[in-house]
Every structure is written in structure tokens, then in C-alpha cells.
Amino acid sequence: MDINFTPEEEAFRQEVRDFLREKLPAHMSDKVLNHKHLSKDDLVGWQKILYDKGWAAPGWPKKYGGPGWTPVQKHIFDEETALAGAPPLLPFGLAMVAPVIMNFGTEEQKERFLPRILSADDWWCQGYSEPGAGSDLASLKTRAERQGENYIVNGQKTWTTLGQYADWIFCLVRTDPDAKKQEGISFLLIDMNSPGITVRPIITLDGGHEVNEVFFDNVQVPVDNLVGEENKGWTYAKFLLGHERSGIAGVGRGKMELQRLKQIAAAERKNGKPLIDDPLFRSRVAQIEMELEALEMTDLRVIAAVQQGQSPGPEASMLKIKGTEIRQEIYHLVRQAVGPRALPFQPQALHGDTDDAVAPDYALSAAPTYFNNRKLTIFGGSNEIQKNIIAKMILGL
Amino acid sequence: MDFSLTDEQRMLQDTVERLVQDQYGFEQRRGYMQAEGGFTREMWNQFAELGLLGVPFAEELGGFGGGPVETMLVMEAFGKGLVLEPYVASVVTTGQLIADAGSDAQKSAVLEPLVSGELILAFAHGEPDNRYSNTQVATRAERSGSGYTLHGHKTVVLHGDSADRLVVSARTSGDTGDASGVSLFLVDAGAPGVSVQGYATIDGLHAAEVRLDGVQVGEDALVGAEGGAVPLIELTQDRGAFAVCAEAVGAMSVACDLTLDYLKQRKQFGVPIGSFQSVQHRMVEMRMELEQSRSATYKAAAKLDSDDPAARRRAVSIAKYQVGKGGRFVSEQSIQLHGGIGMTEEYNLSHFAKRIAMIDNQFGDADAHMDRFSEQMEVPAAG
Ligand SMILES: Cc1cc2nc3c(=O)[nH]c(=O)nc-3n(C[C@H](O)[C@H](O)[C@H](O)COP(=O)(O)OP(=O)(O)OC[C@H]3O[C@@H](n4cnc5c(N)ncnc54)[C@H](O)[C@@H]3O)c2cc1C
């Protein structure tokens, strides 16, 4: 057992750092590190910078234009980019629909979709959840009926993250209403510009517009856009859940947020002294750092297993639970750190268009960030559902 | 010991609860928020007509002569509707401060119009580096002629943007952090040199940055003795803390009710999500935090007006700690058990969750109160 990074891995880390120092635009890292609003241009722009370097799709094999990294390299990349304050790479295209297309799509679909996912020319969103189908995803009702060379899609998706920018949506739809729940579902790629699609914003409690409802009213979708076989969509969705789960712990992001928390606590005052020197607050920060360090090892154990060809499986559920709990605790501590100055609500300031901000950016973003990130334990399979998975799959209960 | 309310108290509770029920629906509240300052004068005047603005004041001042229990009943009912009006700022904290420590002239200038709804007060004590301290006051009041000149920046002054008069803490001597040398001044919000920048807070209320740039006040603006304001500031903050604890109890009870209803209605996997035992236990824990918070608030009510400040501090800190910790749990878990719906602006739960959580950022958070409690915690001799 050697649980240190190899010299090659350390050299790779240095290479990533050098690249970030040179290429990560300061206006982007400023927004990320201060939790200000990231525009579509920021998100796309950053992926394009990575694309030019050949690093846009850390998890992709070389064959499709990925860097062909090992899971450990990918972990190092995630950590370094997060620590530097790089905008996140959105998972919907790169990490969700792409692996499904790679594994189950036709050659024509691969050629048509993968290059534009890689280059960030197409923006994808995920159309799984419905008002009646959240944790119980298989009860979804959105209907696709075959009519000649088209499917006619009717129904509603919801919680569609950043669907307002999307060119494409990948959907789970019901193609056989008479089959058992999981057996009548298909995986369909739908052009967001198709007639009959309406996107309605959902404003979240932090005042942000991140999620949407997407309505389908007799939308025509060419049968060429079906991935794999009709009524096999659930298998592909499950494949996706088992895939690309490294990174789910968000250790890099957690470290970045912890670093920020310390900086904020050093800037804030309690009884005239830096808050970080207050024994009680300091021990709260220490506690989270210790847990994060342990989580990093758990993460690396899973990554090492993947590197040796094992599938991450239900262990990924542990990473998701712990990773999200730690992140939420950090956001709580930031809100606590800024005291009463967490109260002012100035979303304009976080969009960068006001000069009457009444507190530093880190204070103004503290409460919105805390509230927004309640989502971490809800989406991607809620933490309760993750615990059910562990109870069943690992413990055999 | 008797936990039952007197007839008068029950009437007060009924009055406020009915008002909230009839006039503080979710959509109605949204409308009120659009008004200048984030609340409507019509509602404020109704409070006045119902006698609510006089609850803690003596009858000879036009008040109701109520004590902490009456304030608690009002605030708990307000919490159930997330009431927007500056009741804590104007009546509970600043108003009572004037009633306790103001000169006769100040009382007669301020309290009657306050009770009748014509005048609004705010307590301008917080500063950018003050956090929750009673003594970290950098704002200065320098002697000039027969009065004082004030310089400083007061931050997140609750309802400072609708206040007609402010009670401002400022240093007449000593250094930031010293326990003596802090004084209080009654300042006209429109006086030359006062600038007020109002804004909404994330939980739907209003606050303001108040800048004092060479504000001249007379000797008669001094509230209480020069240099001796820290105990008064502490009492005022404790009253605020107590009031928002009661508000939190009201808001937490609604968050619990909304969640419980949802657990019965929402079906996944063909059954109500409330049938899953892990969800049931979470709901049970939420209810326990609510009841603990209610109990701790009662305890604070019993001691708030105690002649012994140590007893008051201890009880208020128990309540504010419990509400901070338990409120966070109820806020977060009520969202969690709702799933995505709990995150939306359109659904009323998120507004309760926000207010409950942000109460921790006012009048000392759970850790600040744990600190204060542990400082004076009784410890027997070793052995
Ligand atoms: C900000 C945000 C972004 C999202 N983005 C997307 C997206 O881009 N695309 C997409 O398709 N979806 C997205 N989602 C949807 C997300 O996947 C769902 O919210 C999630 O699956 C939970 O479903 P639900 O909200 O319907 O809650 P429900 O399933 O109704 O759950 C309510 C509560 O019950 C609990 N519960 C349910 N079943 C059980 C059980 N068997 N045992 C114990 N507890 C249980 C849950 O854990 C939760 O606490 C997003 C959600 C959010 C909040």
C-alpha cells in the first residue's frame, strides 16, 4: 500500500497549476471565489479555453477527444481547478449524456453530438424529473408516441437546471404505457428549439433562476434521436448513475470553500479580534477540515478501485452524502461568520451591476449561497435515497 | 407554576392570530412587501388601533401594561404570518429602551406617537466590526458646545429606513471595546449629517445602513447617563433576542405543520413519503426542536424582566441558543423533506425556512449565546 501520489502524478498537478495560472481569467475566478453570478458566457468561455488545451472533457477517452486521464489524474484536475476558482464544468453534456451516447448511441449520433458537446457549442440539459416523479423517477409520465418517423412527445419535465440556455435536452419518456414502470421508458434527445416546447423559469429561495419547468405539447422528435433501443431507457439511466461518479464527493470544491471560509473568518472580527482566533469558531472550522481530509481518503480509495477496473457502485453514495453534508456545513459557517451582515439582500451586487453594495461580496453572497445549496442533499438522488441504496446494496438490509 | 393564559392574554392572542390569519396570507404578504420600506402603513395603523403598539408600555403612557408573556404572544402570532412591520425595532427594543431610560421629555415626545402609530423608532447599534457585541462601538460622540457631534457608520439597522427617530450608540469616552464610555442618543433620522440607505433583507424584512457625518445633537438627546449605556444596550438586545425567539417559535410551528401535511400528501413509490420510517423520525426530531424552542422561550419570558441581570442573561441565552440550533434544523429539514418544491420562491415554506434561519443572525447567534451562557455557568468545586 502506498497512499501517496506518484512523482508523475505530482508533475501532472504542477502542469495543471501552471496552466491555470496562465489561462484562467481573473474575472471568472473572482466570480467563483466570491459566489457571484456566473453567466452563460463564463461557463461556455471556460470550457472553450479548456477545449483549446484538449482538457474540456476530463472523463472522456482519447478516442472521442478526451485527454484519456486516469481517475487519479482526473481527481487532481478537479481539485486544482476548484481550488483556483475555475468555473465548474457542467455535467449535463460532458458527464451525463455523452457517456450514454458513447456506449449506446449510433455512429451517426456520436458524430453529430459528441464534438459539439466537447467544444461547448451545444448546451445540454437533463430532463428526468417530473412533478410526480422525483425520487421515484420510474413513475415518470411524459409520453412519446411513435408516428411514422417521429415520436410525438407530450408532458412536463421540471427542475431542469439551466434549461433556459439549452440547445438540447435528454429526456426519459414513456414509450410503452402498458409495460411495468421501468420497462416502458426510452431515452430521447430533443432539440430545445422544436415547436411545442415551452420553458418556464422557477425562481428559487435565494432569488436565483437556475431551474425551469419544460412543457412538451405535441413536440415532434425524429426517431433518429432515440438512443439505443426503445423501452430500454431505464437501463441507460442506471448506467449513467453508475458512471462518472468519481468527483461526486466534491472534495476539490470543498477544499476551495474551506479555504474561503478561513479567509472570511480571518477578515471578520469578534470582540476586536479575528473571528478565526475565537476558540469556538476555530474548532468548528477545524472539525470540518478534519472530516474533509477523511473524505478525501475515502474518495481516493474509490478512485483507486476504479483505476483498477472496479465499478464504484454503491460506495459512491457514501461520497455523495458526506461530500454534500460537509459543503452545506461550510456554507452554514460562512453565513455564521459574517453575522448580521448576512442579512442584506442585494442580488444586483452579485451580478456585478451596482455600486451601492452595503457589505463585501462574501457577506452579501453568504445567505443566498447557503440557501441555494440546500439543493445539494436533494438532487442527484436525495441523501435519504442514497442511504436507502447503502442499506440495501452494501448492508443487505 | 401555571402555563395557562389569563383571559386578557388569551384575548390578545386571539386578536393577533385572527389578524394574521385574515390579513397575512402568503399572497397578501407579497403585496405588502412592495410598499416603501417593505410594509404598509395601513397595517401599522391597524396594529395601533388594536392596541398592539402599546403592549409593553404602562397604561399611563397609553399602553397595555403587558410584560414578556404578552410580547411573546404577539411575536409568536407574528411569526406564523411572517409579519413585516417594524414591531421589534420600534416597539420591543427601541420603544422599551426609551420607556425605561428616557427622560420625561423624551418619553412624552416619543412614546405617545409611537403607540398611536405616527412615529417609528429604530435601534442603531450594529457596526461593520461589531458583530453581536455590546461594547464594540467605534461611532464617536464628541462634546461640542452644549451638545454632541456624532460620527460613525451603523450597519444593518433593522427598519432603519422607515424610522423617524433613531437611538444611536456612540462613544463619549474610551476605546472601542471598553465596557464604559458608551452613550445612547435619540437622533432625528432627518437631521443634517444623517444618511440612510435602506434595503430588503433576505428574509423579506428591511434594514438600513446609517451614516452619521457630523450630526449635531443637544444635551437633551442623551438617553440615560453619559458613558453608562452598555447595560441598557445589553437589555435592549436581550429583548430583541427574546422577541425573535417567540417569532421563530411561531414560524417553526408553521414550517412543521406545512411539512407534516406534505408528508401525508406527497406520494412516491406509490405511498405517502410520510410512510417511510426515516422520514417519520426526521419529522419527529423537527417537532422536538420546536417544543424545546417553545420551552426555552417560556423560560426567557419568565426571567426577561428579572431584577437580576445574570438570571435574565442566562435564560435569554438558553432560548436564543436553542432557537438558533433548533431553528436551523427545522428550517433545513423542512426544505429537505419537501424535496425540490421546498426550494422555490413560489411556495410559502421557503419564506418560513429563510426567516427561521436568519433569526440566528440577529441579536447573537447560537454560538454567541453559548459563549455568554458558559461564561457565567455555575460550576461546583472540584472533587
Ligand atoms: C436545484 C435543483 C436542480 C435540479 N436539477 C435537475 C435537473 O437538471 N434535471 C432533473 O431531471 N432533475 C433535477 N432536479 C430534481 C431532483 O433530482 C429531484 O428534486 C430529486 O430527485 C427529489 O425529487 P423531489 O424533489 O420530487 O422530492 P421527493 O422525491 O418528493 O422527495 C421528498 C422527500 O422525501 C424523501 N424520500 C422520497 N422517497 C423516499 C424513500 N423511499 N425513503 C426515504 N425518504 C424518501 C426525499 O429524500 C425528500 O426528502 C433538481 C432539483 C433541484 C432542487
Side-chain angles (χ1 to χ4, degrees):
Chain A
M1 182 151 144
D2 181 0
I3 49 177
N4 294 300
F5 291 107
T6 65
E8 294 75 26
E9 285 161 353
E10 290 296 357
F12 174 72
R13 185 185 294 279
Q14 195 53 49
E15 188 190 350
V16 176
R17 279 189 188 164
D18 292 343
F19 170 79
L20 289 166
R21 197 172 315 113
E22 202 184 321
K23 295 286 185 192
L24 173 60
H27 73 271
M28 290 188 190
S29 54
D30 168 65
K31 287 183 186 175
V32 173
L33 295 172
N34 287 304
H35 288 206
K36 291 196 271 191
H37 178 76
L38 282 168
S39 65
K40 177 179 181 181
D41 285 350
D42 293 324
L43 294 164
V44 169
W46 176 239
Q47 192 181 325
K48 286 194 180 286
I49 291 171
L50 290 171
Y51 176 72
D52 290 340
K53 173 80 177 171
W55 287 0
W60 287 20
K62 276 208 163 108
K63 180 170 147 196
Y64 296 112
W69 285 334
T70 64
V72 173
Q73 280 179 303
K74 191 178 163 297
H75 169 81
I76 291 171
F77 177 81
D78 285 349
E79 177 169 349
E80 291 300 326
T81 46
L83 278 172
L89 283 173
L90 291 183
F92 309 108
L94 290 169
M96 291 183 165
V97 75
V100 173
I101 294 175
M102 284 175 202
N103 283 279
F104 307 104
T106 61
E107 286 311 311
E108 197 256 326
Q109 286 171 338
K110 292 178 197 173
E111 276 163 35
R112 180 173 173 203
F113 293 114
L114 296 179
R116 293 179 62 83
I117 291 175
L118 191 62
S119 63
D121 285 323
D122 283 341
W123 184 295
W124 283 81
C125 63
Q126 180 192 22
Y128 279 19
S129 305
E130 298 181 4
S135 298
D136 181 16
L137 184 58
S139 66
L140 60 92
K141 290 206 174 75
T142 296
R143 185 81 171 89
E145 271 175 287
R146 180 88 188 243
Q147 269 185 18
E149 282 314 287
N150 287 313
Y151 287 103
I152 307 299
V153 178
N154 280 291
Q156 183 196 344
K157 294 294 175 181
T158 191
W159 313 121
T160 320
T161 297
L162 300 178
Q164 70 265 40
Y165 302 144
D167 304 297
W168 287 87
I169 182 169
F170 59 97
C171 285
L172 292 178
V173 293
R174 190 158 297 284
T175 33
D176 183 354
D178 303 322
K180 259 180 47 189
K181 270 201 331 190
Q182 284 85 349
E183 284 164 15
I185 293 172
S186 299
F187 197 103
L188 208 53
L189 312 177
I190 305 179
D191 185 339
M192 286 292 281
N193 290 314
S194 315
I197 293 186
T198 312
V199 179
R200 200 186 75 94
I202 300 175
I203 303 303
T204 43
L205 74 175
D206 55 315
H209 173 201
E210 191 173 295
V211 286
N212 302 274
E213 294 178 289
V214 181
F215 297 90
F216 300 86
D217 179 17
N218 287 319
V219 177
Q220 284 195 14
V221 182
V223 288
D224 288 348
N225 291 6
L226 176 76
V227 179
E229 288 175 50
E230 200 178 76
N231 297 331
K232 286 278 164 62
W234 190 251
T235 317
Y236 312 142
K238 275 212 315 216
F239 158 83
L240 196 75
L241 282 180
H243 191 86
E244 266 297 332
R245 300 199 81 185
S246 67
I248 196 171
V251 170
R253 182 69 191 250
K255 285 188 177 180
M256 181 276 261
E257 301 291 6
L258 180 68
Q259 191 70 8
R260 250 187 104 240
L261 167 63
K262 289 178 179 175
Q263 286 168 335
I264 291 167
E268 289 290 309
R269 290 280 172 280
K270 180 174 173 186
N271 295 327
K273 292 190 240 76
L275 177 62
I276 194 66
D277 294 337
D278 173 62
L280 181 53
F281 195 81
R282 194 181 177 88
S283 61
R284 295 209 186 281
V285 177
Q287 193 177 5
I288 239 19
E289 179 158 357
M290 294 189 291
E291 290 190 23
L292 185 57
E293 296 272 336
L295 177 68
E296 181 174 27
M297 263 303 138
T298 311
D299 197 20
L300 286 166
R301 282 168 58 200
V302 174
I303 288 165
V306 173
Q307 189 137 314
Q308 270 145 36
Q310 297 166 30
S311 140
E315 286 76 14
S317 292
M318 285 195 226
L319 298 176
K320 200 260 173 177
I321 295 167
K322 271 291 156 198
T324 53
E325 285 177 356
I326 287 173
R327 285 264 297 284
Q328 289 184 338
E329 181 64 18
I330 295 174
Y331 297 130
H332 165 72
L333 289 173
V334 170
R335 175 172 69 91
Q336 195 186 343
V338 303
R341 291 197 300 171
L343 284 155
F345 184 54
Q346 291 193 299
Q348 355 43 295
L350 302 178
H351 279 77
D353 43 49
T354 183
D355 46 17
D356 61 0
V358 299
D361 289 337
Y362 68 74
L364 296 177
S365 63
T369 301
Y370 163 79
F371 287 117
N372 176 278
N373 282 290
R374 299 317 309 163
K375 70 188 174 190
L376 296 179
T377 45
I378 296 173
F379 66 17
S382 75
N383 283 22
E384 288 78 18
I385 293 297
Q386 304 292 349
K387 286 180 189 171
N388 289 350
I389 292 173
I390 295 173
K392 200 167 152 194
M393 310 293 284
I394 299 185
L395 304 180
L397 288 170
Chain B
M1 197 166 262
D2 182 4
F3 283 101
S4 55
L5 300 176
T6 64
D7 288 346
E8 255 195 335
Q9 288 169 338
R10 202 185 313 281
M11 266 169 61
L12 176 67
Q13 185 181 45
D14 284 350
T15 305
V16 190
E17 287 197 338
R18 199 162 333 112
L19 175 90
V20 166
Q21 207 155 33
D22 295 348
Q23 297 185 47
Y24 247 99
F26 183 51
E27 291 303 328
Q28 291 167 310
R29 177 175 180 269
R30 275 199 177 174
Y32 305 150
M33 287 171 87
Q34 306 309 316
E36 201 189 334
F39 69 96
T40 68
R41 297 288 162 157
E42 289 75 19
M43 186 63 73
W44 191 245
N45 290 336
Q46 253 193 87
F47 288 3
E49 280 158 28
L50 292 170
L52 302 182
L53 303 183
V55 162
F57 303 116
E59 276 151 42
E60 59 269 26
L61 296 167
F64 182 91
V69 171
E70 283 73 16
T71 296
M72 179 176 79
L73 296 174
V74 172
M75 288 307 302
E76 184 182 341
F78 280 176
K80 291 182 181 171
L82 300 178
V83 162
L84 301 161
E85 281 67 20
Y87 194 78
V88 174
S90 197
V91 176
V92 175
T93 56
T94 326
Q96 289 198 82
L97 173 60
I98 295 291
D100 283 353
S103 65
D104 288 343
Q106 286 167 342
K107 284 189 214 171
S108 60
V110 164
L111 292 180
E112 247 179 75
L114 172 69
V115 171
S116 65
E118 287 146 52
L119 183 100
I120 289 172
L121 296 175
F123 187 50
H125 169 64
E127 297 184 6
D129 279 336
N130 166 283
R131 204 173 172 75
Y132 305 112
S133 165
N134 300 315
T135 58
Q136 291 289 323
V137 176
T139 298
R140 303 207 75 89
E142 274 145 28
R143 274 271 172 196
S144 69
S146 64
Y148 302 84
T149 309
L150 307 185
H151 284 279
H153 173 193
K154 294 294 180 180
T155 195
V156 198
V157 176
L158 295 177
H159 295 288
D161 52 346
S162 12
D164 304 293
R165 302 258 191 124
L166 303 159
V167 171
V168 176
S169 62
R171 240 174 219 294
T172 36
S173 67
D175 287 327
T176 309
D178 286 354
S180 67
V182 179
S183 307
L184 294 170
F185 298 92
L186 184 60
V187 178
D188 201 329
V194 179
S195 71
V196 176
Q197 181 189 355
Y199 46 80
T201 57
I202 185 137
D203 50 8
L205 303 177
H206 264 242
E209 300 300 294
V210 176
R211 291 183 175 80
L212 306 148
D213 185 14
V215 179
Q216 299 287 338
V217 295
E219 189 120 35
D220 57 355
L222 192 64
V223 181
E226 185 185 288
V230 167
L232 270 177
I233 293 171
E234 192 185 44
L235 172 62
T236 302
Q237 300 288 64
D238 277 352
R239 286 198 172 121
F242 165 70
V244 296
C245 282
E247 180 189 353
V249 168
M252 283 161 77
S253 72
V254 175
C256 284
D257 289 350
L258 287 170
T259 307
L260 182 58
D261 280 351
Y262 194 73
L263 298 187
K264 292 176 184 165
Q265 284 165 29
R266 171 69 169 172
K267 285 191 176 163
Q268 288 287 275
F269 307 99
V271 292
I273 56 177
S275 65
F276 302 123
Q277 210 159 48
S278 57
V279 169
Q280 290 173 356
H281 288 185
R282 194 85 50 82
M283 186 71 234
V284 169
E285 286 160 10
M286 287 168 61
R287 272 294 261 278
M288 283 167 41
E289 291 296 347
L290 165 64
E291 293 310 327
Q292 285 282 86
S293 299
R294 188 188 302 282
S295 303
T297 304
Y298 284 171
K299 185 168 179 72
K303 300 290 181 205
L304 189 69
D305 282 351
S306 165
D307 295 332
D308 174 11
R312 181 197 76 221
R313 277 187 209 116
R314 189 172 184 280
V316 170
S317 284
I318 292 170
K320 194 63 172 53
Y321 164 78
Q322 166 57 41
V323 162
K325 178 187 95 92
R328 178 185 172 197
F329 185 80
V330 168
S331 168
E332 292 180 350
Q333 296 307 324
S334 63
I335 295 174
Q336 181 68 23
L337 293 184
H338 274 83
I341 289 286
M343 297 267 313
T344 61
E345 186 74 13
E346 253 174 72
Y347 180 49
N348 59 358
L349 173 82
S350 71
H351 299 261
F352 285 91
K354 280 195 283 189
R355 178 65 189 138
I356 295 165
M358 296 315 293
I359 279 176
D360 195 42
N361 292 63
Q362 297 181 315
F363 304 109
D365 62 22
D367 278 358
H369 283 280
M370 182 158 71
D371 258 353
R372 187 171 76 163
F373 181 89
S374 62
E375 266 164 30
Q376 61 173 71
M377 183 170 66
E378 281 174 30
V379 180

